Every structure is written in structure tokens, then in C-alpha cells.
Amino acid sequence: NAGVTQTPKFQVLKTGQSMTLQCAQDMNHNSMYWYRQDPGMGLRLIYYSASEGTTDKGEVPNGYNVSRLNKREFSLRLESAAPSQTSVYFCASSEAPAGGGGRGYTFGSGTRLTVV
Amino acid sequence: GESVGLHLPTLSVQEGDNSIINCAYSNSASDYFIWYKQESGKGPQFIIDIRSNMDKRQGQRVTVLLNKTVKHLSLQIAATQPGDSAVYFCAERPQGNLIFGKGTKLSVKP
């Protein structure tokens, strides 16, 4: 019963490098989300996908792109990493948009990204 | 924009005591609220939720109270245990996606 799986768990990038954070869920959820978590800032929404085939910007989308590859997978790409993107990234999913279907969002264990 | 606030950034309690974590929300249109627990190095974990048509909901050792008049949400943990040490977030759903508070750190003293 894996839930939401994120890879990698840790990553160090140099400024200007690119990378893709992977996320997969096995709960047959329709909606998926990417958040970043910074000290004192709480969770901030980067992008979300209400259903397969759709993606939308959240609160802090600049510098990121996403792909909803299929119902299970939702990836986050940093095209040219910047030190300001140093953060912990969480992927989440829910049965229906905006946490509908009960039990809100199910989160992965996070990717700790450092950009130097 | 809307924000979800917490009255206390840190809370220290004695093992076995009851804990109360408070949250003020800002949007009277919010129809759904959730409490999450986040242990160090892990992702947030669902604890309990409540809909706006309720004022109280109980789970195992946890109770959530909702006061819509003053836009206040609280999480009560009975007989707090060392394993309850974590950061607790509240979240509200005004319209669209959930909005998360910054969190309260709960420390349990043995």
C-alpha cells in the first residue's frame, strides 16, 4: 500500500541545471498536486492537475513546469534551477479536485532539493 | 490572499496531558477543514476532517471543534504521547484547492 511515491528523496543541483521530480500514486485518485515547503511559509501550491489531461498554475508556478503523464503520474520539472528553489517538494493526490471525496490530500514523503 | 493562521507556533505539554492546538481561518466561505500531522522528515499525514455543517467531530484520541461564528478551528489530543510530537497544520477549503496554515510544533515532555 504505497500511496504517493516521490523520487528522488534528496537532490543537490548547481544553479542553471535542470531536473525532473517524479511522483506516482496507486490510489486511483483523479487529482494531483505539487507543493513546496519552506521554513515559516507553510505549504505553497506550485501546480495541480484536477484530472488526467489537465494542469493549472497554483500560487508559485514561476520556474516550474509539470506533466500529467497518465492518471498515476505527475512530474515537476525545473528547467534552470535557482538557489531560490531550494526547498522541500511534496506531491499529493486526492480522489476528487480540491480534496473532495473525503480525507483531503494524501502526501508523499517529499524531495529535499538544494540548489547551490 | 486568504491565509490560515495559528495562534501558537510552539506548544509544549507533559506526557499524558491533553493538548489543544488552535487555528484561525480567514474565509467564511470555507466548507471543509482538515488537520494534518507532519513528523520530522516526513510528509503531512491526515488526522481528521470536518465539514462546515458540523461543529464537532471525534476520532481516535482526537477531536476537532469548529466555531464558524469566530472562524476558529481547534484540535484536541487526549492523553498526549511522545509519538504525538510533530508539527500540526490546519487547512481550509474556501473554494478550489486547500490552503494550509504554517503549523504549530507540539513537543511532548516525558
Side-chain angles (χ1 to χ4, degrees):
Chain A
N1 191 11
V4 177
T5 302
Q6 291 183 236
T7 56
K9 294 190 183 302
F10 301 92
Q11 184 71 48
V12 178
L13 290 178
K14 293 182 178 179
T15 297
Q17 286 185 318
S18 62
M19 79 162 295
T20 300
L21 281 64
Q22 306 287 352
C23 174
Q25 52 92 7
D26 62 0
M27 296 170 287
N28 201 36
H29 283 173
N30 289 298
S31 304
M32 298 184 74
Y33 314 83
W34 276 105
Y35 284 88
R36 60 178 289 172
Q37 186 177 44
D38 302 293
M41 297 293 290
L43 289 161
R44 292 185 291 169
L45 183 63
I46 304 171
Y47 270 93
Y48 66 101
S49 171
S51 61
E52 186 179 358
T54 69
T55 60
D56 286 285
K57 295 178 180 179
E59 180 185 356
V60 289
N62 292 343
Y64 306 94
N65 283 300
V66 291
S67 296
R68 183 76 183 265
L69 304 170
N70 47 55
K71 190 171 185 179
R72 290 185 63 248
E73 298 172 287
F74 188 40
S75 63
L76 178 72
R77 183 161 178 84
L78 287 70
E79 291 292 350
S80 179
S84 61
Q85 294 178 304
T86 293
S87 188
V88 181
Y89 291 85
F90 288 100
C91 177
S93 69
S94 62
E95 185 175 333
R103 300 188 70 79
Y105 299 171
T106 300
F107 285 86
S109 58
T111 294
R112 285 146 186 80
L113 176 67
T114 302
V115 183
V116 297
Chain B
E2 298 104 345
S3 65
V4 176
L6 295 171
H7 293 313
L8 297 173
T10 59
L11 178 65
S12 185
V13 300
Q14 202 71 37
E15 181 178 357
D17 288 351
N18 296 333
S19 302
I20 299 176
I21 301 171
N22 295 304
C23 173
Y25 64 93
S26 59
N27 198 313
S28 57
S30 291
D31 67 342
Y32 182 54
F33 304 87
I34 306 174
W35 280 101
Y36 285 92
K37 172 186 180 182
Q38 186 175 24
E39 296 175 277
S40 181
K42 298 184 179 180
Q45 179 183 13
F46 174 97
I47 302 173
I48 191 167
D49 59 359
I50 188 168
R51 300 197 182 277
S52 59
N53 60 352
M54 304 171 68
D55 53 20
K56 180 179 180 179
R57 192 168 188 214
Q58 289 184 292
Q60 187 176 16
R61 278 202 309 120
V62 295
T63 301
V64 55
L65 299 178
L66 175 62
N67 185 329
K68 294 183 289 294
T69 302
V70 295
K71 292 188 287 187
H72 184 267
L73 192 69
S74 69
L75 176 70
Q76 300 178 1
I77 304 174
T80 311
Q81 302 169 0
D84 295 326
S85 293
V87 174
Y88 291 80
F89 300 96
C90 64
E92 65 173 315
R93 185 175 68 188
Q95 52 182 320
N97 296 310
L98 294 176
I99 297 175
F100 293 86
K102 293 180 174 59
T104 293
K105 183 176 181 179
L106 176 66
S107 295
V108 182
K109 297 177 287 186

